[in-house]
Amino acid sequence: MFEKVEGIVLRTKDYGETNKIVTLFTREYGLISGVARGAKKSKSRMAAVTQPFIYGIFVMRISTGLGTIQQAEVLDSMREIREDIVKTGYATYIAELVSKMMNEREKYELLFLELLASLEKMAEDENPPAIIAMMLELKLYQIGGFAPVLKECVNGHIDEPIVAFSITEGGVLCQQCKYKASDAVSLPSSIHKLLQTMSETSIKRIRNIQLRKETIQWLRKLLDDYYDRYGGMFIKSKRFLDQIHLLEE
């Protein structure tokens, strides 16, 4: 039995001479995969509707194993992402994070909406794709259960101002606790507030974020080091993203 699902193409993989296995993140079922027959043929309708990051309605036969994609209707091609190497790098990164951190058939509509908003924002030129990616990344850390403590000092000193961040301690520190962590790095109040906003605010609500390149690079390294300690899963697209960072520098 075929049914319609609203989904985003996360990745594709060649399957035989003419077919592809397409991994979707869907509103209805979360992470699912299906065979798109003929999708490797350049003139095939399925080739056009199964490109990475496409958002659409997919008619699928959903089974206990690998499903089948019968047809699809594109709602947003996200063409602007695929035509820009920097946007492609960040979109590939967050797509892989979602596919690695979510279980098959684990419905999570809020994450679906945040991923869709992330791609839509990246397709625009209003906000840096690096910031959009980090915002979704922090939300994925929450889902994974290893998000940094950002609201107050990790040691519970709720009335003390935040002055530092420690990866080993798992979040922000007050003045009293800063010297107890050998890896503590100073955290200006403005950056602390920014991290909180990035973690707690829906991506749909962000507008025209302007940050210095040095600030974005500092935040990116902080999250990279944090994920290396707590994430536990190898992210293949991270190498490509690192090369993009070198080009940006």
Side-chain angles (χ1 to χ4, degrees), residues 29-47:
Y29 292 99
L31 204 62
I32 56 175
S33 297
V35 176
R37 303 196 182 281
K40 286 178 66 177
K41 297 178 180 179
S42 60
K43 296 183 180 180
S44 165
R45 166 67 177 163
M46 293 306 295

Side-chain angles (χ1 to χ4, degrees), residues 140-156:
L140 284 166
Y141 292 0
Q142 294 171 17
I143 293 169
F146 60 92
V149 176
L150 296 173
K151 191 173 184 180
E152 58 195 34
C153 177
V154 297
N155 294 316

Side-chain angles (χ1 to χ4, degrees), residues 53 79-94 118-119 121-125 127-133 213 216 220 237 240-249:
F53 322 127
R79 177 176 53 84
E80 298 87 349
I81 294 177
R82 291 188 301 279
E83 292 178 347
D84 185 297
I85 189 171
V86 174
K87 293 178 180 179
T88 296
Y90 284 106
T92 302
Y93 178 64
I94 61 174
S118 298
L119 295 174
K121 294 289 185 183
M122 283 187 186
E124 301 167 357
D125 289 317
N127 301 283
I131 292 295
I132 298 167
K213 183 169 68 174
I216 294 175
R220 182 67 265 163
S237 57
F240 179 46
L241 203 58
D242 288 342
Q243 291 173 341
I244 289 175
H245 294 159
L246 289 174
L247 290 174
E248 290 179 322
E249 291 176 6

Side-chain angles (χ1 to χ4, degrees), residues 69-85:
I69 300 175
Q70 182 70 15
Q71 61 186 64
E73 174 191 356
V74 175
L75 298 179
D76 192 333
S77 71
M78 306 293 177
R79 177 176 53 84
E80 298 87 349
I81 294 177
R82 291 188 301 279
E83 292 178 347
D84 185 297
I85 189 171

Side-chain angles (χ1 to χ4, degrees), residues 128 131 191 194 198 209-216 219:
I131 292 295
I191 302 300
L194 175 62
M198 290 169 61
I209 295 176
Q210 299 293 331
L211 290 176
R212 294 171 56 199
K213 183 169 68 174
E214 293 78 12
T215 301
I216 294 175
L219 288 169

